[in-house]
Amino acid sequence: MAHNRSYRLKVKIGNWNEDLVREEDAMKEYFEKKENGELLIQKVDFLKQNILEQVNLSVSSDGRLHFGDVVMLVNLGGENQPRSAVSINADVGSLTKTLSPGIQTPCGVCAGSGIQPCVRTAFIITSVDGSPEGSSLHFDQCFALRTTGGFARGLYLTSDLQSFQKRSKMSGLQEVYLDDSMCFLSWWKIVYFDPQERLEYEGQPVPANEKVLIVHCKTNQALAALDRTESLGFWTGNKYCAAQPRATSKY
């Protein structure tokens, strides 16, 4: 005797109505996010398009650094250490597209292998003592490092004393980050690289494209790039920026 089916193939069983409603809601949410540019792939493309935009660095006519110059902070590396540049460590989690599109604060920094001048790697030497724009920067003179305007929002390279609650998550050393307020925490100074000749160069103009130490004014710790390989957002960086004792830091 042939087996009789209790229902046809087209008969819907289980919570078919709930499943249908759930699928419709998911599609509705997808199209709403796509229309508002909130999909992850859209955020990544938006971030890449803006933060990798090319920036023209300043050209020094007298071989010196000046207030208002657009520069890059490059670690020259060594025998087994490639060159790297201080970069904005931005990912889609630090991105906002409402009102004024740009990077949210505080934002971390890293030292990536890409040393092309762009929004991510460019900084502006900014006066904190009233020195006019265009005047020469001198050794041991306080200044601030500010990102470019627009998408980078003119944020200041900042650091503070290391504590149990406030320190670099990756290195455990003094944290370096970007903030929107210009205060004593965002003051830096440049000292001569060779400690034996450092006193002789104090107060002298800082030459461009030379190896120097960048020291945090409040903590007296030098900016350093640490050898570690981790995934940073959708970029792969090979170093973390931190502030550490001047005797061992080379930047």
Side-chain angles (χ1 to χ4, degrees):
M1 183 177 179
H3 177 70
N4 294 327
R5 292 179 178 175
S6 60
Y7 59 88
R8 297 184 180 180
L9 295 177
K10 295 183 179 180
V11 174
K12 298 178 180 179
I13 60 175
N15 298 327
W16 63 270
N17 188 52
E18 294 181 7
D19 295 338
L20 180 61
V21 172
R22 190 181 299 111
E23 292 179 3
E24 292 177 350
D25 291 342
M27 291 300 297
K28 182 179 179 181
E29 182 181 5
Y30 169 81
F31 285 115
E32 287 180 353
K33 287 186 175 182
K34 183 178 180 180
E35 183 178 356
N36 297 328
E38 298 177 353
L39 294 177
L40 179 60
I41 185 63
Q42 292 176 312
K43 290 182 178 181
V44 170
D45 289 341
F46 179 79
L47 183 58
K48 285 183 177 180
Q49 179 181 358
N50 286 274
I51 208 168
L52 298 180
E53 182 180 355
Q54 185 176 357
V55 171
N56 294 322
L57 301 181
S58 299
V59 179
S60 178
S61 59
D62 56 3
R64 301 175 179 178
L65 292 180
H66 306 85
F67 288 103
D69 282 355
V70 181
V71 298
M72 289 176 57
L73 309 179
V74 178
N75 185 299
L76 298 179
E79 296 181 357
N80 300 320
Q81 182 179 357
R83 290 196 304 172
S84 60
V86 174
S87 308
I88 300 174
N89 183 18
D91 55 25
V92 293
S94 62
L95 175 65
T96 174
K97 295 182 66 175
T98 59
L99 298 180
S100 56
I103 301 299
Q104 291 181 340
T105 58
C107 179
V109 294
C110 65
S113 57
I115 57 173
Q116 297 300 320
C118 60
V119 172
R120 190 188 183 206
T121 58
F123 291 86
I124 302 174
I125 300 176
T126 306
S127 172
V128 298
D129 58 4
S131 298
E133 187 168 328
S135 60
S136 296
L137 175 66
H138 297 81
F139 284 107
D140 286 276
Q141 182 179 9
C142 295
F143 66 96
L145 289 166
R146 174 171 52 89
T147 61
T148 57
F151 186 79
R153 299 180 60 189
L155 305 179
Y156 294 92
L157 192 68
T158 307
S159 188
D160 199 358
L161 290 170
Q162 177 186 355
S163 65
F164 182 76
Q165 294 83 8
K166 192 172 186 179
R167 60 179 179 174
S168 175
K169 296 180 181 179
M170 298 299 175
S171 66
L173 299 175
Q174 184 174 315
E175 185 180 17
V176 180
Y177 57 96
L178 296 172
D179 201 7
D180 55 1
S181 60
M182 203 273 280
C183 59
F184 188 52
L185 298 180
S186 58
W187 289 21
W188 303 82
K189 63 181 178 180
I190 293 179
V191 299
Y192 193 71
F193 186 78
D194 189 349
Q196 297 182 352
E197 301 181 15
R198 194 166 293 164
L199 185 61
E200 300 177 9
Y201 281 87
E202 186 174 343
Q204 298 296 317
V206 179
N209 302 317
E210 293 292 338
K211 185 185 296 185
V212 295
L213 286 181
I214 302 176
V215 179
H216 190 238
C217 291
K218 178 181 177 180
T219 63
N220 203 36
Q221 304 294 297
L223 187 65
L226 307 178
D227 291 325
R228 294 191 63 176
T229 302
E230 297 288 346
S231 176
L232 303 174
F234 57 81
W235 289 286
T236 299
N238 60 352
K239 301 177 187 297
Y240 287 96
C241 282
Q244 63 177 13
R246 292 164 56 177
T248 59
S249 59
K250 298 180 180 181
Y251 213 92

